[in-house]
């Protein structure tokens, strides 16, 4: 058995993980990437319930679960009793009553998971696939795995997180854990998307002030679905002021990397031609998402005493 295997009851927020647990999940993800296998004698049923759109998180969890030999229980919001007014609590209560071991859930309500993990009746383990503009722990862990593979540590790394800060669960998950792991953080993007909560974690700058200093340039998607001012948004103006274009790319340190959780708004956060450029790790992030999610599901199954 790997020393990096851990046991978790649920995974809903990066705040609930110790630094040691974070490092174990990253290292276990790397072991899976290098071909580590697990075999369970018992059946484990997992259901992925996505109430908000997703490609990467939803499908990467599915691939991870299939690689672990789990049985997947399909859940389609559109054809479920959610359309008859069933609450999230009642949907998960039902999954629990049916014997589902793990529910991976994405939902627009921040902290939706609290009533689920506090329920004395719901025994299904909850993995948060993103709660509104709250947390996105599996994205954070795949980001950390990607940084760790590149640098082998976090302490002293300069990381800029740039873009739609206030709406980003990726920014909020990453700022807390990256600071706890010793990184120095900078935040860039439009003034109106900067909120005071970021002040405790780093320094507000412009992208031009830090692009030649950072080890990691982490770009955020402009989340039009969470804005009510979409009509006023100019893609070209955003790209000029805050996006990564060729001139800014050319100023980056030789060893610096570009990250983006994707989906990318091409020619907005990053020039179309740079999405797969040598410094970009955007495709690698997606690949790492499978392996770190294997580590997450394994940890939650271990928390349930899986054999
Ligand atoms: N990065 C991310 O969460 O992508 P999806 O919305 O496609 O899952």
């Amino acid at each position: 058995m790997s020393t990096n295997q851990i046991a978790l009851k649920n995974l809903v927020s990066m705040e609930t993980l110790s630094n040691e647990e974070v490092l174990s999940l990253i290292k276990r993800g790397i072991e899976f990437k290098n071909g580590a296998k697990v075999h369970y004698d018992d059946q484990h049923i997992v259901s992925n319930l996505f109430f908000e759109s997703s490609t990467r998180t939803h499908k990467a969890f599915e691939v991870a679960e299939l690689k672990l030999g789990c049985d997947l229980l399909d859940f389609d919001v559109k054809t479920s009793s959610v359309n008859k007014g069933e609450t999230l609590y009642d949907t998960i209560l039902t999954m629990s009553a049916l014997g589902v071991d793990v529910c991976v859930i994405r939902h627009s309500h921040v902290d939706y998971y609290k009533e689920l993990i506090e329920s004395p009746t719901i025994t299904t383990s909850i993995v948060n696939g993103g709660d509104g503009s709250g947390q996105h722990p599996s994205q954070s862990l795949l980001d950390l795995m990607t940084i760790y593979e590149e640098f082998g540590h976090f302490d002293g790394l300069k990381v800029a997180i740039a873009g739609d800060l206030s709406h980003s669960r990726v920014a909020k998950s990453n700022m807390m854990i990256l600071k706890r792991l010793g990184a120095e953080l900078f935040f860039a993007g439009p003034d109106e998307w900067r909120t005071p909560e970021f002040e405790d974690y780093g320094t507000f700058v412009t992208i031009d002030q830090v692009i030649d200093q950072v080890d990691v340039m982490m770009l955020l998607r402009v989340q039009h679905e969470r804005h009510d001012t979409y009509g006023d948004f100019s893609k070209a103006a955003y790209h000029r002021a805050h996006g990564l274009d060729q001139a800014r790319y050319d100023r980056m340190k030789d060893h610096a990397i570009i990250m983006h959780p994707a989906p990318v708004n091409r020619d907005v956060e990053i020039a179309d031609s740079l999405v797969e450029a040598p410094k970009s790790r955007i495709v690698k992030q997606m690949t790492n998402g499978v392996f770190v999610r294997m580590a997450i599901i394994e940890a939650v199954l271990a928390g349930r005493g899986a054999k």
Side-chain angles (χ1 to χ4, degrees):
M1 185 174 133
S2 166
T3 54
N4 294 314
Q5 277 183 259
I6 61 166
L8 298 171
K9 194 163 186 289
N10 304 287
L11 177 58
V12 293
S13 166
M14 293 304 287
E15 289 173 26
T16 62
L17 293 176
S18 67
N19 288 2
E20 292 71 30
E21 286 173 324
V22 168
L23 285 171
S24 292
L25 288 166
I26 293 168
K27 289 177 184 173
R28 189 64 179 144
I30 293 170
E31 287 177 359
F32 280 128
K33 192 173 181 179
N34 289 335
K37 300 264 185 291
V38 286
H39 170 78
Y40 296 108
D41 292 330
D42 296 345
Q43 182 188 45
H44 301 296
I45 302 175
V46 181
S47 193
N48 302 304
L49 300 93
F50 279 69
F51 296 82
E52 279 194 326
S53 303
S54 169
T55 303
R56 274 144 290 273
T57 310
H58 192 166
K59 296 301 152 187
F61 265 115
E62 278 187 7
V63 174
E65 293 150 6
L66 290 168
K67 282 178 177 282
L68 289 171
C70 298
D71 289 321
L72 275 57
L73 186 69
D74 183 46
F75 181 85
D76 182 358
V77 174
K78 288 196 286 296
T79 56
S80 74
S81 286
V82 171
N83 292 322
K84 302 179 211 165
E86 182 177 80
T87 63
L88 177 64
Y89 182 88
D90 284 336
T91 303
I92 305 306
L93 185 65
T94 304
M95 292 290 169
S96 179
L98 296 178
V100 174
D101 293 290
V102 182
C103 284
V104 178
I105 305 170
R106 172 172 287 189
H107 201 282
S108 59
H109 291 175
V110 174
D111 292 345
Y112 73 79
Y113 48 79
K114 283 194 172 161
E115 66 170 352
L116 307 179
I117 62 175
E118 286 166 5
S119 164
T121 320
I122 291 174
T123 56
T124 296
S125 294
I126 306 299
V127 175
N128 183 10
D131 59 305
S133 56
Q135 285 275 310
H136 196 346
S138 67
Q139 178 70 44
S140 185
L141 285 163
L142 77 87
D143 290 343
L144 295 176
M145 176 175 161
T146 306
I147 295 171
Y148 187 81
E149 280 186 323
E150 198 74 32
F151 299 100
H153 66 96
F154 300 97
D155 200 35
L157 289 181
K158 290 181 190 291
V159 180
I161 305 179
D164 192 350
L165 293 166
S166 59
H167 297 97
S168 176
R169 52 196 175 209
V170 177
K172 288 164 197 164
S173 301
N174 277 338
M175 70 179 180
M176 184 275 300
I177 192 63
L178 279 167
K179 183 169 183 195
R180 177 141 58 83
L181 291 167
E184 183 183 1
L185 297 184
F186 302 92
F187 300 109
D191 288 346
E192 59 271 30
W193 297 343
R194 299 176 180 191
T195 45
E197 65 193 300
F198 291 95
E199 287 169 10
D200 294 337
Y201 295 91
T203 311
F204 285 124
V205 291
T206 65
I207 190 169
D208 288 316
Q209 286 172 317
V210 287
I211 192 66
D212 56 354
Q213 296 172 41
V214 294
D215 303 297
V216 178
M217 185 71 234
M218 187 180 288
L219 304 164
L220 303 172
R221 182 174 68 87
V222 178
Q223 304 206 15
H224 294 301
E225 71 276 23
R226 303 191 204 281
H227 292 263
D228 51 17
T229 55
Y230 180 60
D232 301 333
F233 183 80
S234 162
K235 293 179 181 181
Y238 181 94
H239 190 61
R240 268 195 309 278
H242 310 289
L244 189 67
D245 57 13
Q246 188 67 50
R248 289 177 178 135
Y249 182 94
D250 291 342
R251 290 179 58 211
M252 292 177 73
K253 288 180 180 174
D254 288 344
H255 71 260
I257 61 169
I258 301 160
M259 299 177 70
H260 189 306
V264 170
N265 293 308
R266 288 175 183 255
D267 290 327
V268 180
E269 300 101 28
I270 178 169
D272 178 32
S273 58
L274 297 177
V275 172
E276 296 170 57
K279 291 182 195 301
S280 172
R281 298 295 178 271
I282 296 172
V283 176
K284 190 174 186 184
Q285 285 173 269
M286 296 181 213
T287 303
N288 285 348
V290 169
F291 299 108
V292 94
R293 288 178 174 112
M294 288 177 77
I296 292 168
I297 297 293
E298 180 191 54
V300 171
L301 289 176
R304 303 175 65 78
K307 296 185 196 63

